[in-house]
Amino acid sequence: MFIYHTIAEIREFVRQARDKGSSIGFVPTMGYLHEGHLELMRRAKEQCGCVIVSIFVNPTQFGPGEDLERYPRDLERDARLAEGTGVDAIFNPGVEEIYPPGYCTYVDVERITERLCGFSRPGHFRGVATVVTKLFNIVKPDQAFFGQKDAQQVLVIQRMAADLNLEVGVVTVPTVREQDGLAMSSRNVYLDAAQRQAALVLSRSLKMAADEVRAGERSAAEIRQLVIEMIKAEPLADIDYVEIYSHPELEPAELIEAPALLAMAVKIGQTRLIDNIILRKGDTS
Ligand code: PAF
């Protein structure tokens, strides 16, 4: 497995892979890899001849006071894990390689970025859309792989790829969870033992919501209220948002007749965690 730090190097690597007839699979990450990322890499490897992973903690998607500086980083560990899944190359640029002095071009996806994380983290999706566009232009992948845990991010990237006629397939991979239900996230390392336990309220409340739908509850407002009550009963949890929107349009949903996204962001101590589930009327799983 190769590790490249410059755009020129990774472009040359992609050119050689293409000359050999390989399709290119791409997994963009901010590093500190976990099983969720590794699952994306395995899926990419199943579907593409050559897999490239980017590791770049993108400053433009962090707001003031967020965890940009303390975001966990460990390239050596990441490289070992990625190599174990059969990844062919890692692209690990420095900030100035991606945003050289004088940089002033950004990608703004409207409407679907106005709610959920887009509302509570202003500018976040502008940073995500900008860096992903740049990474797509650098790597020119046939397919790019994203986790459903970041449900709104996937929708934003799919919208952007369609609107800008990008020649890339955006593949969504189901959320990978710890055995006790906690969605895998690089930010889970911030949690101490008590917080780790408290964090289970996210997945527990999602499961309760799915059970309610299965039992016949159709009112989005009712389900949302039950979820909020369950989370509020956990003393270490502080709700940023709990919302239900139609999926994939992200329009207000009153009834769970068509698929609806129940998404939440909850602070456990200083750590903001997100999770979601798609509620479907006929679901029996
Ligand atoms: O999901 C992430 O880790 C990031 O938002 C992404 C897609 C790598 C862009 O920086």
Side-chain angles (χ1 to χ4, degrees):
M1 190 185 69
F2 298 91
I3 301 181
Y4 299 115
H5 301 286
T6 68
I7 295 169
E9 286 168 325
I10 193 73
R11 281 199 160 139
E12 178 56 21
F13 177 80
V14 171
R15 195 188 61 71
Q16 288 183 20
R18 287 227 178 268
D19 281 354
K20 288 185 206 139
S22 285
S23 58
I24 308 291
F26 180 45
V27 182
T29 81
M30 297 206 299
Y32 215 72
L33 304 178
H34 51 67
E35 195 50 40
H37 294 117
L38 303 185
E39 189 57 25
L40 301 179
M41 294 170 200
R42 288 185 204 108
R43 283 288 296 276
K45 199 65 199 176
E46 274 164 30
Q47 296 183 27
C48 304
C50 174
V51 173
I52 296 170
V53 171
S54 64
I55 296 180
F56 178 63
V57 182
N58 173 36
T60 63
Q61 69 188 75
F62 288 78
E66 291 188 354
D67 57 344
L68 173 61
E69 275 78 32
R70 71 171 187 138
Y71 198 86
R73 295 159 167 90
D74 189 342
L75 182 59
E76 220 174 277
R77 170 183 172 278
D78 287 347
R80 214 172 38 246
L81 291 170
E83 189 162 27
T85 70
V87 163
D88 297 277
I90 287 178
F91 176 47
N92 173 232
V95 172
E96 291 221 341
E97 186 71 4
I98 298 297
Y99 300 111
Y103 189 89
C104 55
T105 304
Y106 294 87
V107 178
D108 245 318
V109 179
E110 298 181 353
R111 279 208 309 274
I112 58 169
T113 57
E114 285 161 14
R115 44 199 50 152
L116 305 175
C117 286
F119 182 77
S120 57
R121 301 180 70 188
H124 170 68
F125 285 118
R126 182 179 191 247
V128 170
T130 299
V131 81
V132 171
T133 303
K134 286 174 68 72
L135 292 168
F136 282 178
N137 280 333
I138 292 164
V139 174
K140 297 252 162 56
D142 297 288
Q143 301 198 69
F145 297 77
F146 296 87
Q148 175 61 19
K149 202 206 87 182
D150 298 300
Q152 190 179 16
Q153 170 169 280
V154 174
L155 295 175
V156 169
I157 289 164
Q158 282 171 338
R159 182 78 260 165
M160 176 186 90
D163 288 355
L164 298 182
N165 309 100
L166 304 182
E167 277 191 304
V168 55
V170 177
V171 181
T172 314
V173 177
T175 303
V176 178
R177 297 182 181 279
E178 304 280 359
Q179 281 211 330
D180 58 11
L182 181 68
M184 299 248 180
S185 163
S186 304
R187 291 189 167 98
N188 291 349
V189 295
Y190 298 149
L191 303 170
D192 65 25
Q195 292 169 337
R196 171 71 182 68
Q197 194 58 30
L200 294 178
V201 75
L202 280 83
S203 54
R204 203 166 58 239
S205 67
L206 293 175
K207 185 175 175 310
M208 182 267 291
D211 288 344
E212 286 292 324
V213 173
R214 216 168 289 132
E217 181 59 67
R218 293 286 169 269
S219 162
E222 185 61 30
I223 294 169
R224 177 172 178 270
Q225 197 47 41
L226 289 171
V227 169
I228 289 174
E229 278 164 24
M230 183 180 272
I231 298 173
K232 281 195 166 157
E234 169 48 66
L236 296 184
D238 182 15
I239 295 175
D240 177 354
Y241 66 75
V242 172
E243 300 290 352
I244 300 182
Y245 286 111
S246 66
H247 188 269
E249 304 82 7
L250 294 193
E251 296 294 344
E254 282 177 22
L255 292 177
I256 315 294
E257 293 296 343
L261 178 72
L262 164 56
M264 59 179 60
V266 178
K267 271 184 111 176
I268 307 284
Q270 290 305 302
T271 307
R272 185 177 175 281
L273 300 176
I274 58 171
D275 205 346
N276 70 83
I277 191 171
I278 297 179
L279 300 171
R280 290 187 174 86
K281 190 171 71 169
D283 238 356
T284 50
S285 56

